Amino acid sequence: MTMRLVVIALLVVLLGCRAEKVVSPAAAEPSEVPAFEGGTIVEFGEPETSDLLPTPESHFRRMRRVDIAQLNELLLGATEGIYWSETNAPGGDNLLEELSGTLGVPDFSLSTYEDLEPSLIFQKYLGDAARSVCWQLAEREDEPGASPILFEFADRTDTWESAPEKIDANLSRLLLRFHGRSTVGNPQSLETWRWLFRSAYLVSEDNKVAWRTVCVGLISHPDFYLY
């Protein structure tokens, strides 16, 4: 009797531990999908011709100044041997060489690159060099047999009022010598230099001073030292 009760109790326990049947939830009703109207079909036709042209490449480059060695050669060539001297006379030290380090020439110890920007210090020294060179040039042409540069087509007595053709011819020659620029067929290009000559003469009443001023202007002008 006791054994029967034990067996019945075990059956009851086993039946109570059986996993419950899993019931799947009811399938959800499909949501309504909005209806979209049919889009317009895009057809590709022949490509249209266009008059647009590619941007042309620039043929311009940034201007650079000559280096100090080249500047020295330019002065010597334009004046037939005159350089910037502290004494404003032949035989002195060449100040472009003396000041080359200050003007950016590399010493290959602390620097290996020469700055070719026309800086303010370059402009300052160039003006000093121009005044020295042009002073020497004017003084040399006072010597007998000197090669005429400042007074090649005009002499010391010619003024704008007395001989404008000679003044123009002399200005044209100086522009060709210092800037390599021909004024043939373009007399308007002389207007600035005519004004400079006449203004200097009006102030000084001295042709030598007037032509020396033109010389300084030619050397200080960017056309002399930029390329």
Side-chain angles (χ1 to χ4, degrees), residues 12-23:
V12 171
V13 170
L14 290 175
L15 289 175
C17 294
R18 190 177 58 182
E20 296 182 0
K21 183 179 180 181
V22 179
V23 180

Side-chain angles (χ1 to χ4, degrees), residues 61-215:
R61 63 174 179 81
R62 185 177 179 181
M63 300 293 287
R64 302 179 69 187
R65 71 163 174 85
V66 296
D67 61 32
I68 299 305
Q70 291 169 330
L71 178 61
N72 191 48
E73 292 298 322
L74 284 174
L75 291 174
L76 292 171
T79 62
E80 297 185 2
I82 295 177
Y83 57 87
W84 179 22
S85 169
E86 184 177 6
T87 60
N88 290 342
D93 293 335
N94 188 327
L95 290 183
L96 277 180
E97 296 177 356
E98 293 288 322
L99 296 169
S100 60
T102 304
L103 290 167
V105 177
D107 58 7
F108 297 99
S109 174
L110 298 176
S111 62
T112 58
Y113 171 77
E114 183 167 356
D115 183 10
L116 297 181
E117 291 293 328
S119 62
L120 291 178
I121 192 169
F122 173 82
Q123 298 285 347
K124 191 269 180 191
Y125 283 134
L126 178 64
D128 293 342
R131 285 185 288 275
S132 169
V133 165
C134 293
W135 175 276
Q136 294 180 67
L137 183 60
E139 294 299 309
R140 188 180 69 183
E141 294 196 21
D142 284 339
E143 301 173 2
S147 177
I149 294 178
L150 285 184
F151 298 99
E152 187 170 356
F153 291 109
D155 56 43
R156 289 162 179 76
T157 61
D158 291 326
T159 65
W160 180 256
E161 287 71 22
S162 66
E165 297 83 4
K166 290 185 177 181
I167 302 300
D168 272 357
N170 211 47
L171 288 171
S172 295
R173 181 62 175 173
L174 288 171
L175 276 170
L176 186 62
R177 172 180 285 274
F178 283 85
H179 294 173
R181 188 180 300 280
S182 174
T183 61
V184 176
N186 186 21
Q188 293 79 10
S189 61
L190 290 176
E191 193 58 40
T192 298
W193 305 102
R194 290 173 185 147
W195 172 85
L196 182 59
F197 172 82
R198 296 176 68 181
S199 299
Y201 180 79
L202 181 64
V203 172
S204 65
E205 297 183 352
D206 186 333
N207 269 13
K208 186 176 179 179
V209 172
W211 285 113
R212 198 169 66 213
T213 303
V214 170
C215 172

